[in-house]
Amino acid sequence: MAWTKYQLFLAGLMLTTGSINTLSAKWADLFSAKGCHGDPEHSFSHPFVQAVGMFLGEFSCLAVFYILLFHDRRSPEPRMNPGQRFNPLLFFPPAMCDMTATSIMYVALNMTSASSFQMLRGAVIIFTGLLSVAFLGRRLAPSQWIGIFITILGLVVVGLADFVSGHKDDSHKLSDVITGDLLIIMAQIIVSVQMVLEEKFVYKHDVHPLRAVGTEGLFGFVVLSLLLIPMYFIHTGNFSDNPRQVLEDALDAFCQIGHKPLILLALLGNTVSIAFFNFAGISVTKEISATTRMVLDSLRTLVIWVVSLALGWEQFHGLQVLGFLVLLTGTALYNGLHRPVLARIPWCAARMNLEEDSSDAERERLLNNGRVQASEDT
């Protein structure tokens, strides 16, 4: 079925704003400026402040939702579906997952390149697939398992590319690159938990995408803003790049912005883009499919990589190309993008129909087991 103009708009919006989000965050990391109290010029390394800005962008979606709802209700024929009432605390767990994962990834982005950062985020397929089996009762097809194993291979290749390039790159130490890569993969475990929670909630409850993003942003913004206070006093030694060597020095971040206002432009780009990206991502899941959302997320990796090369932020590495292609293959297999091609082959088409019938039978069996268990409990 052909996409509508609105679906094409959502896909384009997600791809564009998603690319701008990572690029603007990396741009902010590349700045150097003086700090407070006459501190010498140093790099802008404030991942938690950047994360607060990201949640501010998500929180703004809640204001947009109520503005649109207000104007719609004043019209003679209201068309906007505000969704059913729900307990906002249901969004608290995924918001905390988002807050934790985002903070970890912004720390990692300071240590590695923007392209590797985006490529390694492909690990979310592995953990999302496993958690979907465990908590959503799904049964993965053989092609999805193959896609997961190919994705693991792609991660190894990208990691090897970073290891090789780390000896030639003066902008990042090899130890920092390896640590950053591991942090990104660790964050994907948390992201996969968030995605499973969101999917289970969105499909069960009729919640407007803007309201969903805004509610998560509200929780993340409030909690992380409060956490900046104890972070100001937690000393981390050489792990932190700010002059006071604390977990996060928000005052130093504002002083650096005052000395170099261009940093604010990068932060605003991150804040605004994440607002539209999250809205577009949830809307794509509801209007098209979660598969399309994953594919678009993979395509923005290519955009970020090409732009980073064009701006001279990183050097070209052939091994990284191989890693990206392997990751793309794993993503395509996991999301079933090979099916339209195989459907033209009679034997493969019959095999695919058999697998679909088997999956339907498995879902029916699980459903019946649930009914039997419910009757036994009664």
Side-chain angles (χ1 to χ4, degrees):
M1 185 175 67
W3 285 6
T4 63
K5 291 183 179 180
Y6 179 61
Q7 289 173 334
L8 287 172
F9 168 74
L10 290 175
L13 183 66
M14 179 180 173
L15 181 61
T16 303
T17 55
S19 302
I20 293 175
N21 178 251
T22 300
L23 291 170
S24 59
K26 187 61 182 179
W27 186 32
D29 293 339
L30 296 176
F31 282 108
S32 294
K34 294 181 179 180
C36 303
H37 310 298
D39 291 329
E41 188 171 292
H42 54 280
S43 61
F44 186 83
S45 179
H46 299 284
F48 297 100
V49 171
Q50 286 180 290
V52 169
M54 187 211 74
F55 282 111
L56 179 61
E58 291 186 355
F59 179 33
S60 65
C61 290
L62 197 59
V64 174
F65 167 76
Y66 284 110
I67 292 173
L68 292 176
L69 184 62
F70 175 76
H71 284 285
D72 183 71
R73 286 181 174 178
R74 294 187 65 183
S75 63
E77 297 180 0
R79 298 181 179 180
M80 183 175 175
N81 178 21
Q84 66 186 52
R85 291 185 178 182
F86 66 97
N87 185 356
L89 291 177
L90 290 173
F91 275 105
F92 187 77
M96 292 303 97
C97 291
D98 194 8
M99 182 192 74
T100 306
T102 300
S103 299
I104 293 174
M105 285 190 286
Y106 277 141
V107 171
L109 188 58
N110 273 293
M111 301 178 175
T112 188
S113 64
S115 60
S116 295
F117 168 83
Q118 197 63 39
M119 290 181 190
L120 291 173
R121 292 179 69 178
V124 70
I125 286 178
I126 302 170
F127 306 113
T128 301
L130 297 177
L131 291 177
S132 295
V133 172
F135 296 103
L136 297 180
R138 287 184 178 171
R139 183 183 180 187
L140 298 183
S143 59
Q144 290 179 304
W145 286 112
I146 294 173
I148 287 176
F149 287 119
I150 292 178
T151 301
I152 295 174
L153 178 61
L155 294 175
V156 173
V157 175
V158 172
L160 183 61
D162 281 345
F163 180 79
V164 173
S165 63
H167 292 285
K168 305 175 183 178
D169 189 4
D170 296 330
S171 59
H172 298 101
K173 296 180 182 178
L174 179 59
S175 59
D176 289 344
V177 171
I178 295 175
T179 302
D181 289 352
L182 292 176
L183 286 175
I184 294 169
I185 295 176
M186 183 184 5
Q188 300 320 298
I189 301 176
I190 305 173
V191 172
S192 63
V193 175
Q194 176 197 348
M195 293 184 69
V196 169
L197 289 173
E198 284 180 344
E199 183 175 344
K200 193 169 184 178
F201 181 78
V202 168
Y203 285 127
K204 277 192 172 184
H205 301 271
D206 182 21
V207 181
H208 194 279
L210 279 174
R211 195 176 186 184
V213 172
T215 304
E216 285 191 15
L218 171 62
F219 287 129
F221 177 74
V222 172
V223 173
L224 192 55
S225 296
L226 292 175
L227 287 177
L228 289 179
I229 299 174
M231 287 180 184
Y232 184 80
F233 301 99
I234 300 176
H235 289 269
T236 57
N238 294 329
F239 181 78
S240 178
D241 290 335
N242 57 68
R244 295 181 59 248
Q245 294 187 332
V246 293
L247 188 57
E248 181 59 281
D249 191 342
L251 294 180
D252 180 67
F254 289 116
C255 288
Q256 285 189 292
I257 293 172
H259 286 108
K260 187 164 289 188
L262 203 57
I263 299 176
L264 182 60
L265 180 62
L267 296 179
L268 286 176
N270 186 36
T271 300
V272 175
S273 63
I274 198 63
F276 287 100
F277 173 68
N278 278 276
F279 163 68
I282 293 180
S283 298
V284 165
T285 301
K286 294 192 73 173
E287 297 290 336
I288 310 175
S289 67
T291 299
T292 305
R293 181 178 181 177
M294 296 297 294
V295 172
L296 291 172
D297 207 42
S298 299
L299 287 178
R300 73 185 179 112
T301 302
L302 180 61
V303 175
I304 291 168
W305 185 35
V306 171
V307 173
S308 297
L309 290 173
L311 294 175
W313 290 357
E314 53 186 275
Q315 297 178 350
F316 178 82
H317 299 287
L319 200 58
Q320 202 174 39
V321 179
L322 177 61
F324 173 70
L325 293 175
V326 174
L327 284 173
L328 199 61
T329 302
T331 303
L333 283 173
Y334 181 84
N335 290 302
L337 298 184
H338 62 291
R339 289 182 176 273
V341 178
L342 296 180
R344 298 180 180 179
I345 306 174
W347 181 85
C348 293
R351 179 79 177 181
M352 287 164 56
N353 291 332
L354 185 63
E355 287 183 1
E356 289 178 358
D357 293 340
S358 176
S359 298
D360 292 339
E362 178 67 15
R363 282 193 291 269
E364 183 65 25
R365 184 186 67 81
L366 291 172
L367 183 60
N368 290 332
N369 285 345
R371 290 168 179 166
V372 170
Q373 184 64 40
S375 62
E376 289 177 355
D377 294 339
T378 306

